[in-house]
Amino acid sequence: MPPTGCPDHRRARPTHLRTVPSSLPPPAPATDHRPRRFPRRRPTGGHSPWRSLRHPGMRWWSAANLVSNAGTWMQLTVQNLLVLQITGSAAATGLSLSVQAAPGLLMSLAGGAAVDRWPRRLTAAVSQALLGAVAFTTAVLVALDQLNVGVLMALAAVTGLIATVDGPACSLLGNDLVPPEDVPSAIGVGSLVHSAGRLIGAALAGITVGALGTAAAYAANGLSFLFVTAVIPFLHPAPGALPARAPAPAEGPTSHEDDLGMREGLRYFARSPRLLALAGVTGISAVFGRNYGLTLAVLVTGPLAGGAGAFGTVSTVLAVGGILGAVLGARLRRPSVRLVGTLAAAGGLLQVVAGVSPSLAMLLVLVLPMAVVESISDTAGTTVLQTDPPARLRGRVLGVWGSVRTGWGLAGPPALGLLMEYAGARGALVAGGLLIAGSVLAGHLLHRRRAQPAPALPVLLPEAPAIPAAPLTATVPAPRPAPAAETRQPVGAAA
């Protein structure tokens, strides 16, 4: 028994105070109230140059591109030999290449507008099928011995015209399959595929022509295009990939849809300082710094007294450097125009040193980093070009770029040849390298000058009117006069 006056804690609690069992689990005891720090999550794939290949669509697209590039280079190798067999003129060979490149100068903007206007995968599939049809037609004409120079030039022009649509469509289709951070990897893998396809196609051209004839090479190229056409419908974007086409702006009164939007793409390109700077750096480098097949050939066979075998070694080192540069460029995530300019200036300075190299061994040591820098710069510039514009304008921007690139591609070799006529191979390499590095430095200084804020000008306020100063002596108020004494008159005086 508990003592009297003490409450009995064992006594049952009143009904209204009883707790009802809850279905929720009891809260976990708090052992540490300090905020937990979680490790920063790294993006999947990191900086691996192959990170874009983890997406199934990109793997299929790369395999299809390898087959297509091998077939294309097989046909290009055979086409030069075919023109020589028909005409016996080297000038005709160069003319056929110019005829095939001419539509890129005139119609690239229209082709890019078509890529922006039409569904991306359908456009790429149709253009690949048309290129395959041209290849099969050429194969049949060669097999029947009905191909002459006029027909060959016409087929080359048709191929160039289709390529104005096929080039932007296929370039952007690969980017549409991966997330934005993997676009540099996709471009780097595409560069590797292009280089590998070039080597494979050149090797297969000799084997195919020797075993089956010239028509078989064209037929093989046609089959490669059909393979790409069959793969495209099964390509699906990876999670996180941006849509291929962004919503278009509000409709307004236009003339024939504003020429399929060509003016809009040209206007955007002309008003973008980054794209203009990229075009300037790439153009100067392409004209004065990247025609190594011309400048190094003259340098090796002339001042360095080498032969065809020595130039073949230099070409092999250039190819190896290009592959290494593509692998390194694929590791980029967010390249910039400043990076492209820095790499171009570094390549120009290496070119200056190569121009004064005293021996072939010294030249081989310099050629490798020159090719690596050039390849990384190409990957970075292509990434900026294909990701900077809005999604709805990328085809037209690539069209403008195609026209500009074709222009300096046609004007560059004659200008460089004229420079070598006056300054020689060494002088052309040195002058071209200094021009590239100086142009990049001048552009950087101009950009910094424009980016600096203008100095603030002093604001002149109107002077306030002068206020008269108060007297230093205090004003003493005058004494108030005392009230006058009241005069009382005696009673009766007023009478």
Side-chain angles (χ1 to χ4, degrees), residues 265-319:
L266 187 60
R267 188 183 305 115
Y268 179 86
F269 192 96
R271 293 180 179 178
S272 173
R274 286 168 55 87
L275 295 182
L276 291 178
L278 180 64
V281 172
T282 308
I284 294 176
S285 300
V287 173
F288 296 102
R290 298 187 179 186
N291 285 299
Y292 298 136
L294 180 59
T295 53
L296 294 183
V298 177
L299 178 64
V300 170
T301 58
L304 297 181
F311 180 67
T313 304
V314 172
S315 300
T316 303
V317 174
L318 282 173

Side-chain angles (χ1 to χ4, degrees), residues 102-130:
L105 181 64
L106 304 175
M107 300 298 296
S108 288
L109 188 54
V115 171
D116 284 337
R117 186 72 61 183
W118 301 333
R120 188 74 44 83
R121 290 194 296 175
L122 177 62
T123 305
V126 171
S127 63
Q128 288 283 308
L130 291 176

Side-chain angles (χ1 to χ4, degrees), residues 81-366:
L81 298 175
L82 185 61
V83 175
L84 284 175
Q85 291 176 0
I86 295 176
T87 64
S89 170
T93 304
L95 180 62
S96 67
L97 296 177
S98 298
V99 168
Q100 186 167 336
L105 181 64
L106 304 175
M107 300 298 296
S108 288
L109 188 54
V115 171
D116 284 337
R117 186 72 61 183
W118 301 333
R120 188 74 44 83
R121 290 194 296 175
L122 177 62
T123 305
V126 171
S127 63
Q128 288 283 308
L130 291 176
L131 289 174
V134 173
F136 282 125
T137 302
T138 309
V140 171
L141 293 175
V142 171
L144 298 178
D145 198 16
Q146 298 295 321
L147 188 67
N148 53 38
V149 178
V151 175
L152 186 61
M153 295 296 177
L155 291 174
V158 172
T159 300
L161 184 62
I162 300 173
T164 59
V165 177
D166 181 74
C170 292
S171 298
L172 295 176
L173 179 58
N175 299 344
D176 295 339
L177 301 175
V178 298
E181 62 269 14
D182 291 343
V183 169
S185 172
I187 294 175
V189 170
S191 179
L192 290 174
V193 167
H194 179 79
S195 301
R198 181 174 185 175
L199 297 175
I200 296 172
L204 290 179
I207 299 174
T208 305
V209 172
L212 302 175
T214 305
Y218 281 93
N221 188 33
L223 290 175
S224 71
F225 286 127
L226 292 185
F227 176 71
V228 178
T229 304
V231 168
I232 287 177
F234 299 97
L235 300 177
H236 299 288
L242 298 179
R245 299 177 64 190
E251 298 181 357
T254 56
S255 172
H256 187 57
E257 294 289 339
D258 198 11
D259 296 336
L260 289 178
M262 292 187 293
R263 297 176 184 175
E264 187 178 1
L266 187 60
R267 188 183 305 115
Y268 179 86
F269 192 96
R271 293 180 179 178
S272 173
R274 286 168 55 87
L275 295 182
L276 291 178
L278 180 64
V281 172
T282 308
I284 294 176
S285 300
V287 173
F288 296 102
R290 298 187 179 186
N291 285 299
Y292 298 136
L294 180 59
T295 53
L296 294 183
V298 177
L299 178 64
V300 170
T301 58
L304 297 181
F311 180 67
T313 304
V314 172
S315 300
T316 303
V317 174
L318 282 173
V320 172
I323 293 175
L324 292 177
V327 174
L328 295 176
R331 295 177 60 86
L332 300 173
R333 298 189 70 87
R334 298 291 182 184
S336 62
V337 179
R338 179 177 298 179
L339 175 62
V340 177
T342 303
L343 293 172
L349 296 178
L350 287 171
Q351 179 179 320
V352 171
V353 181
V356 297
S357 57
S359 63
L360 181 62
M362 180 77 174
L363 180 64
L364 290 176
V365 172
L366 293 169

Side-chain angles (χ1 to χ4, degrees), residues 414-434:
L416 190 60
L418 185 63
L419 180 61
M420 286 194 297
E421 284 289 334
Y422 287 96
R426 292 186 183 276
L429 286 170
V430 172
L434 291 177

